[in-house]
């Protein structure tokens, strides 16, 4: 048990550091976005209305059964991902270029080296916020890809660590920003 | 009275934190923008020429009667909002995408999920800076919407807390930035 | 003399704070840009290769006569401004939108409220870096306007205080960024 | 030996400061990018997966012979540059505007004053990441120019100090950002 507490302390510290990076890089603004990591028979997730930077206390959500009222209202997506994939950590962000490019397409193919390495094919899925449909679509997409864009909404990145999910989130926005700049050059 | 002082201390701390976030997110630059919160028979507002980050001492403006000479010259808009709506806090920012998109339109309709949630219809109003006309237009618009764009000038967001006004300010700029990126993609 | 030292200390502190703001707002990058303030029979200016953030020790340049070898190589522009206008402080920055918009035009007219207030007409001048011609053109333009753009190069803002020059620098870039966004919307 | 240790301490401190600047200016995100400096018969370089901000411990790579397993996987490019040019320090970054502009061109010619001064001709080269071909192309280009863009990938800047390489990295992105803004204005 002491060991489990120590694991949580380390992960919380990492979560706080990554929350701050997401904010500094403009991948989230205000109190939007959330993150979670697997722990025991469930996962720790941001609370409703709390910030990723500075990161508020996380709340435990079991993989099955009742969910605390103050868990981020996107807990349903996080739970579906943990139930249906082996991922251990999830970051949900609202990066503007990834959101803008997602309208009218079903996938995004990076042309930059970093994007080709980290997220060579970025699926775009749909579904109302907080719906089971969205949860299923995101979880299914993350079985094959490290990061998915929910059309007009934002990104969900999943990995074995929060750091992996952060790197994928940063890479997808970087790739989409370059693609939008390229559209500007090529179509003129 | 001790209790009132404590309330002010908490709100001033929150105001300073939010001022710093507005600057970090690029929603304001230099000493532009201002904020206020309701208190007793009036409100505390930024002084003329002071910064939101770091936030200078605020000055008290009564809902009715004489106004201190060093109150932000947009006190007239803040007073109208407090007199005509139940809002308890106001943030005025100068975010570039919201300003750019406001020319030639009477409202802005976000297409991103965050915008649809926080500010599904963003009214655009006009009026000379510091004029009664502007004050009335902004106050009227904020009776129905959490945030309004003054054409070519900036945003006024109002809520029951400064935090609510900050989240709305951040959401409106996020929505407008995505809309401008979309215009770039779709019209080519 | 003690009083003069104290004045310098205050101004140096303000200069350091403003240097840091210029960097945070992206108005300068790396060690580009410089600033100076009038003092006695000359002015203090950034040294060659030093940074505005964190601000290195400034060096004294007399209004007339020999110039220290390590003074910023744009001392010639600063000296001309101090000799030919009543300004007491100067900031030279490299903001990208102001630079981009300056090609092919002789003046820039802001359409946003902040720009109309602070810099309603922004002259665009030319001249090789470090040349007497550039110095004369900038000084002449700053007799009538708080800020000027050197085509393809950057801005010179002058005022009675460094703070005034900073606010003008920030306002001109804000105005140019909005104008470029507007071009993107209107010409499609 | 004591002297050599002191040299390393100073350079590591400078490397950490520069890593932080690269992140603040958006020239790198997440853990992308790397840097190195010459030392004795080899060079110190970032480790795989480590961050430039905050900068992790660097690892020594000899100019010839076996390479530690945890050296940045771009050590091959750094080694080629040190073997074939007199440069003493290298920065590899992923700035979006430089990457976007590199598609379909063999060189980039800045139009801004800062770019004309620091990097008047920016070669664009190709080659798979980590390949000998890329290493040779980059090293050859850096014999004549302070900074090169690897198409769709990022920049390599080299100089006698890390500071020189940082200034060149910052200048090339600044120049490319202005060129892309100009394309937006002129082609409409």
């Amino acid at each position: 048990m002491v060991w489990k507490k120590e694991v949580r302390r380390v992960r919380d510290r990492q979560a706080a550091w990554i929350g701050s990076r997401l904010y500094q890089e403009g991948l989230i603004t205000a109190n939007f976005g959330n993150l979670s990591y697997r722990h025991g028979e469930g996962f720790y997730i941001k609370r409703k209305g709390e910030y990723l930077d500075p990161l508020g206390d996380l709340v435990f959500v079991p993989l099955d059964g009742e969910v605390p009222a103050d868990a981020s209202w996107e807990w349903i997506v996080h739970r579906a991902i943990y139930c249906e994939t082996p991922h251990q950590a999830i970051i949900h962000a609202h990066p503007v270029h990834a959101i803008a490019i997602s309208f009218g397409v079903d996938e995004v193919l990076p042309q930059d080296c970093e994007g080709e390495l980290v997220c060579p094919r970025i699926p775009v899925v749909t579904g109302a916020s907080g719906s089971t449909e969205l949860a299923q679509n995101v979880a299914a997409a993350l079985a094959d890809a490290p990061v998915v864009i929910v059309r007009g909404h934002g990104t969900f990145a999943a990995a074995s660590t929060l750091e992996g999910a952060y790197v994928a989130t940063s890479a997808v926005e970087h790739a989409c920003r370059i693609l939008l700049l390229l559209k500007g050059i090529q179509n003129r």
Side-chain angles (χ1 to χ4, degrees), chain A:
Chain A
M1 286 305 277
V2 168
W3 177 81
K4 269 203 161 173
K5 270 193 184 161
E6 183 52 26
V7 166
R8 270 208 64 203
R9 220 187 328 263
V10 169
R11 286 192 181 151
D12 282 351
R13 206 149 42 204
Q14 194 190 31
W17 185 71
I18 284 170
S20 158
R21 305 274 292 192
L22 293 168
Y23 186 64
Q24 276 181 77
E25 292 186 25
L27 299 166
I28 51 163
T29 59
N31 59 4
F32 297 102
N34 50 62
L35 59 74
S36 71
Y37 61 80
R38 280 280 276 120
H39 190 82
E41 297 306 305
F43 55 94
Y44 279 95
I45 190 168
K46 202 189 80 162
R47 292 172 201 262
K48 258 178 206 153
E50 281 290 336
Y51 290 75
L52 284 178
D53 176 45
L55 186 67
D57 272 354
L58 304 181
V59 60
F60 184 78
V61 173
L63 286 186
D64 197 27
E66 219 166 309
V67 174
D70 60 349
S72 163
W73 72 314
E74 312 235 43
W75 64 264
I76 192 171
V77 182
H78 291 247
R79 188 190 261 179
I81 296 168
Y82 290 129
C83 286
E84 292 167 36
T85 75
H87 294 302
Q88 298 290 304
I90 299 168
I91 288 174
H92 169 49
H94 287 194
V96 288
H97 299 91
I99 295 172
I101 213 171
S102 70
F103 288 92
V105 300
D106 291 325
E107 62 176 18
V108 176
L109 303 176
Q111 291 192 36
D112 68 301
C113 171
E114 188 179 312
E116 285 174 348
L117 188 76
V118 177
C119 47
R121 188 190 149 268
I122 308 158
V124 174
V125 303
T126 58
S129 283
S131 69
T132 313
E133 189 205 351
L134 177 63
Q136 289 309 318
N137 290 348
V138 170
L142 287 176
D144 293 329
V147 57
V148 55
I149 308 176
V150 181
R151 188 175 297 148
H153 177 175
T155 53
F156 280 91
S160 57
T161 61
L162 275 173
E163 197 177 8
Y166 157 51
V167 170
T169 303
S170 193
V172 72
E173 174 65 351
H174 187 261
C176 292
R177 195 169 169 196
I178 289 167
L179 287 170
L180 285 178
L181 287 171
L182 277 175
K183 274 182 203 287
I185 302 172
Q186 293 167 344
N187 296 18
R188 280 197 192 100

